[in-house]
Amino acid sequence: MKGINKSMKRPVSIHQVKVKESKEAKVVSRKTLLECQSLAKANIPEVLKTLEETRTQKNQYQFYGYLCAYFTSLYGHKPGLYKNMLVKEVEEAKCDQTGMYLISVGEHETNRDHGMVQMSLTKDEYTWFSDFLKFKHCLPGGKKSQHFFFNSTSTQLKNLPAYLREVWKEMGLPETPTFTDLRTSIVTHVKNMLPKADRERVANFMCHDIQTADKFYAINLNPAQASETKALFQAALKGEDTSVAAENQASTSSKRKRKAGEEDSLSEGSTTPEKTKVMYQ
């Protein structure tokens, strides 16, 4: 069994590399993500108003699709957050003095390691949820359902990826990314743009750690990062020290030069030539 396990390591590693390469081709640009958030934010109030008037499943699923597009393009949350979200958890959302709301969902696949998965909302964003709950009981299956995202049989809604794709096309955005594509994109942009300390905070909010992100989500270096790394290789071959010690040495050298300059200025200002000669000797 050990021999079989060892023989599988190389094929598995090659497969993982190919999977990451395929993800790289599907990374959604920061511009597209921001455009998605802007369009979804503008459309959600109108879609919610239409849903309240018509109370049809088609408009209900459209509303769900826009919510998923908006918050997933922002936080990169998995679909499990939405399908497991309870009405009780939405109603018990915490609000601070600044008017920000926090919805905490207890049921998700990594709750043992990371606790509840959370979603931060502004007052307007939370209004989308609270207004929906006002007429939820009038929708098919809404009267008995304990979940915020539900179907006509009062059970969890599991077809969220399809509704995400539909609203993505409605907004006229390029390609049709999945939840995984959006999550991978968010993690990749976080890795490329934020320092390590901020990356850890973002990873905790997304209910994973940096090692998980680097192994399963983060993509290869971008051209700028690769160029910086190349410069480090060249510095090593040329014998240039880029460490903190080199910076301290440069600082010490600079202080010595300033001190020598001060001594030179004192000697030049002397009125006695003999003293000047003695100092130089």
Side-chain angles (χ1 to χ4, degrees), residues 116-256:
M116 290 188 170
V117 60
Q118 296 178 315
M119 180 188 295
S120 178
L121 307 92
T122 63
K123 183 178 180 181
D124 292 338
E125 292 167 352
Y126 183 75
T127 301
W128 302 337
F129 289 79
S130 59
D131 287 350
F132 174 78
L133 292 179
K134 292 178 182 178
F135 59 88
K136 165 186 172 291
H137 61 281
C138 298
L139 299 171
K143 193 171 184 178
K144 296 181 179 179
S145 177
Q146 297 180 355
H147 291 87
F148 186 88
F149 293 79
F150 61 90
N151 55 26
S152 59
T153 60
S154 302
T155 56
Q156 293 174 309
L157 189 64
K158 299 182 179 180
N159 203 20
L160 288 173
Y163 307 137
L164 172 66
R165 290 193 297 268
E166 289 178 6
V167 300
W168 193 272
K169 291 180 180 179
E170 288 181 15
M171 291 185 287
L173 298 173
E175 306 299 334
T176 51
T178 62
F179 279 94
T180 301
D181 296 335
L182 293 176
R183 186 175 178 86
T184 301
S185 303
I186 295 296
V187 174
T188 302
H189 296 317
V190 166
K191 177 184 178 182
N192 292 339
M193 303 303 297
L194 299 181
K196 184 177 180 180
D198 292 340
R199 284 188 63 202
E200 290 178 349
R201 292 183 62 184
V202 171
N204 290 333
F205 197 80
M206 297 178 70
C207 291
H208 65 210
D209 50 34
I210 293 180
Q211 289 73 21
T212 301
D214 291 340
K215 184 175 182 180
F216 296 103
Y217 296 104
I219 312 300
N220 298 325
L221 299 178
N222 59 31
Q225 292 171 325
S227 177
E228 293 174 359
T229 306
K230 178 183 177 182
L232 294 177
F233 279 104
Q234 293 174 334
L237 295 176
K238 293 178 181 178
E240 299 174 358
D241 191 356
T242 60
S243 63
V244 176
E247 295 178 0
N248 294 336
Q249 184 177 0
S251 177
T252 304
S253 177
S254 177
K255 290 180 180 179
R256 288 176 179 174

Side-chain angles (χ1 to χ4, degrees), residues 30-55:
R30 287 180 290 151
K31 180 181 178 181
T32 301
L33 291 173
L34 292 174
E35 187 177 1
C36 172
Q37 296 169 25
S38 177
L39 292 173
K41 187 175 183 179
N43 289 334
I44 287 175
E46 294 297 328
V47 173
L48 184 60
K49 182 179 179 181
T50 303
L51 173 60
E52 185 177 7
E53 295 173 352
T54 60
R55 300 180 181 180

Side-chain angles (χ1 to χ4, degrees), residues 3-22:
I4 295 173
N5 185 42
K6 185 176 181 180
S7 66
M8 289 300 296
K9 288 184 178 179
R10 185 181 296 274
V12 170
S13 298
I14 294 175
H15 173 71
Q16 289 175 340
V17 170
K18 290 182 178 179
V19 170
K20 291 189 72 174
E21 288 179 350
S22 64

Side-chain angles (χ1 to χ4, degrees), residues 31-96:
K31 180 181 178 181
T32 301
L33 291 173
L34 292 174
E35 187 177 1
C36 172
Q37 296 169 25
S38 177
L39 292 173
K41 187 175 183 179
N43 289 334
I44 287 175
E46 294 297 328
V47 173
L48 184 60
K49 182 179 179 181
T50 303
L51 173 60
E52 185 177 7
E53 295 173 352
T54 60
R55 300 180 181 180
T56 62
Q57 277 192 320
K58 180 180 179 180
N59 291 328
Q60 178 185 353
Y61 296 159
Q62 183 187 31
F63 172 65
Y64 287 159
Y66 273 107
L67 286 182
C68 292
Y70 179 79
F71 288 105
T72 304
S73 65
L74 179 60
Y75 295 125
H77 282 314
K78 297 179 180 179
L81 164 72
Y82 307 105
K83 74 177 184 179
N84 292 320
M85 183 182 294
L86 299 176
V87 172
K88 181 180 179 181
E89 293 171 335
V90 175
E91 293 175 338
E92 294 178 351
K94 297 180 180 179
C95 179
D96 61 11

